[in-house]
Amino acid sequence: MSIAAKFEIEYLQYLDAEGKQVRDDLPEFANDLNHMVELYKLMLSTRVFDAKSVALQRTGKLGTYASCLGHEAAHVGIGSAMKPEDVFAPSYREYGAQLYRGVQPREVYMYWGGDERGNDYQKEPARHDFAWSVPIATQCLHAAGSALAFKIRNEKRVAVCTIGDGGSSKGDFYGAINIAGAQNLPLVAVIVNNQWAISVPRKIQSGAPTLAQKGIAAGLYCIQVDGNDIIAVRKAMGDALDRARNGEGGSVLELVTYRLSDHTTADDARRYRGEQEVKDAWAKEPMKRLRNWLVAKGVWDDAKEEAWKNECDEWMDNEVNAYLETKTQPVTAMFDYTFAEVPADLAKQRDLALQLDKKAH
């Protein structure tokens, strides 16, 4: 019997769990230690931001919040590899990538506080990125559509979307990567495999040895990456973006990491996963390995860490205050931006809402 095709999925890693190099051929950007320090600082900022967000939710100042604890290398690696002209279609927890691209913490707080104006990012390049997408995988189609537009316009831009391990089983994801392969679109689809789709573990989501190989059927380049190793993430993303930008097609990247937190603040992961599993995951978390590597290089120490944490605390306090001081929208806002001409039934509801609001005040 003849073989129609054979495939392999490469696995990329530069730093092990202790921050020791497992290969000597570091990419060029990793030799710029100042750049690597800046990436670590953003990872640390993201972790401080995340802790502050959970605290806000627990004290009733924020709605349900999706933590990014443990995803710092994956998310910052994605954002730092992109060019300003590229477009990002996130799901709902890729804050590290978004902070790199100019999203302000106060905007995240506004969004999770129930104010859609948080999606109206004020700074570039985030200004032309997509809003957060809570419906699972729909953002992948938005990114594919953007990639098609870039190709039609002959623009050297790339659309990047992120999706979780569970979301990669959705038809929206498959549809997006299929059209990307069929039309040779500049799309980079990143599966952030944090091992859990809420309470559904990776082992029963798919029978495939890797999630990266889902892109094979679409004709895309596929690679699995240590998602806790920011050097590996940044390298794999950079290569995928270059291929897409040069007309060589799209890619599917699987970043293997772990969700150290609950799915959201409305979840209690202790109900469905064991304590030892989480403890083992903490031993592989992304901050420790990059910090150890930078310390070994002589460019980071405890004093710098403490000083930066203090700066982060001050930054987040200012952002929290800006969020809390933002005037709420009038009750009519929920009606004003849905239709160009408000239908009669909604107009009646709008009037009733106004009457109830006036009584309440």
Side-chain angles (χ1 to χ4, degrees):
M1 182 182 294
S2 60
I3 303 298
K6 285 186 177 182
F7 304 99
E8 290 183 338
I9 301 296
E10 178 188 353
Y11 177 75
L12 185 62
Q13 181 190 52
Y14 288 94
L15 302 180
D16 67 13
E18 298 303 320
K20 296 179 181 178
Q21 288 182 216
V22 297
R23 50 193 293 175
D24 296 323
D25 58 333
L26 285 179
E28 184 177 349
F29 70 83
N31 291 314
D32 182 349
L33 295 179
N34 289 331
H35 176 65
M36 295 307 300
V37 166
E38 290 305 311
L39 294 184
Y40 178 75
K41 289 167 71 174
L42 181 56
M43 289 170 62
L44 189 55
S45 298
T46 304
R47 184 160 288 190
V48 171
F49 156 80
D50 191 67
K52 179 70 71 174
S53 301
V54 173
L56 283 172
Q57 193 280 331
R58 297 305 190 209
T59 54
K61 296 181 175 66
L62 208 62
T64 298
Y65 170 77
S67 171
C68 64
L69 186 64
H71 301 71
E72 295 88 358
H75 294 166
V76 173
I78 291 168
S80 62
M82 296 174 66
K83 289 190 176 182
E85 61 267 27
D86 296 333
V87 67
F88 185 43
S91 57
Y92 48 79
R93 75 170 87 241
E94 291 80 18
Y95 312 117
Q98 292 181 296
L99 291 175
Y100 192 96
R101 290 181 60 77
V103 172
Q104 301 173 85
R106 68 186 69 181
E107 292 168 336
V108 186
Y109 297 144
M110 287 178 68
Y111 174 75
W112 288 114
D115 192 330
E116 285 289 344
R117 289 177 296 178
N119 276 316
D120 186 18
Y121 317 132
Q122 295 300 304
K123 293 185 178 181
E124 293 287 357
R127 188 95 177 115
H128 62 258
D129 287 344
F130 282 89
W132 285 285
S133 180
V134 173
I136 304 300
T138 54
Q139 71 276 10
C140 300
L141 295 173
H142 303 157
S146 297
L148 177 60
F150 298 156
K151 182 179 179 182
I152 291 172
R153 297 171 180 171
N154 198 30
E155 297 176 351
K156 283 190 173 295
R157 302 171 66 189
V158 183
V160 175
C161 64
T162 48
I163 186 73
D165 42 290
S168 71
S169 292
K170 292 277 288 183
D172 309 69
F173 173 77
Y174 283 112
I177 63 174
N178 187 69
I179 191 66
Q183 299 293 327
N184 196 41
L185 301 182
L187 173 72
V188 176
V190 186
I191 303 172
V192 183
N193 176 7
N194 66 18
Q195 310 305 317
W196 288 91
I198 307 183
S199 59
V200 181
R202 160 67 179 91
K203 63 185 177 183
I204 64 172
Q205 293 174 29
S206 171
T210 72
L211 299 183
Q213 69 196 70
K214 293 185 176 188
I216 290 175
L220 302 183
Y221 174 80
C222 308
I223 186 173
Q224 187 185 69
V225 183
D226 183 342
N228 291 334
D229 174 2
I230 192 170
I231 297 177
V233 175
R234 173 72 174 75
K235 169 64 174 171
M237 276 298 300
D239 289 347
L241 290 163
D242 287 344
R243 280 191 299 272
R245 208 178 309 280
N246 294 330
E248 299 171 20
S251 300
V252 172
L253 278 60
E254 177 189 1
L255 310 184
V256 182
T257 182
Y258 192 85
R259 195 194 77 211
L260 293 171
S261 64
D262 297 325
H263 174 67
T264 69
T265 50
D267 176 42
D268 183 359
R270 295 172 298 179
R271 297 172 61 190
Y272 52 79
R273 67 183 186 186
E275 182 180 341
Q276 188 59 49
E277 177 184 327
V278 180
K279 184 178 180 181
D280 292 343
W282 270 105
K284 302 175 183 177
E285 67 99 6
M287 301 293 295
K288 180 181 72 173
R289 71 178 67 188
L290 181 56
R291 185 185 190 282
N292 286 351
W293 185 76
L294 292 173
V295 169
K297 294 288 185 181
V299 294
W300 196 253
D301 55 36
D302 291 343
K304 290 179 179 179
E305 179 113 357
E306 192 61 29
W308 182 246
K309 281 184 178 179
N310 290 335
E311 286 193 45
C312 290
D313 285 337
E314 184 177 355
W315 177 28
M316 294 310 156
D317 286 343
N318 290 335
E319 290 296 308
V320 168
N321 290 336
Y323 155 63
L324 295 175
E325 292 168 3
T326 301
K327 291 184 178 180
T328 58
Q329 297 187 79
V331 67
T332 54
M334 71 177 84
F335 302 97
D336 292 342
Y337 307 105
T338 306
F339 294 93
E341 296 182 9
V342 181
D345 59 332
L346 281 186
K348 289 181 180 179
Q349 292 180 39
R350 184 179 186 273
D351 292 341
L352 177 60
L354 267 175
Q355 293 173 22
L356 292 172
D357 186 57
K358 287 179 180 178
K359 289 181 179 179
H361 293 86

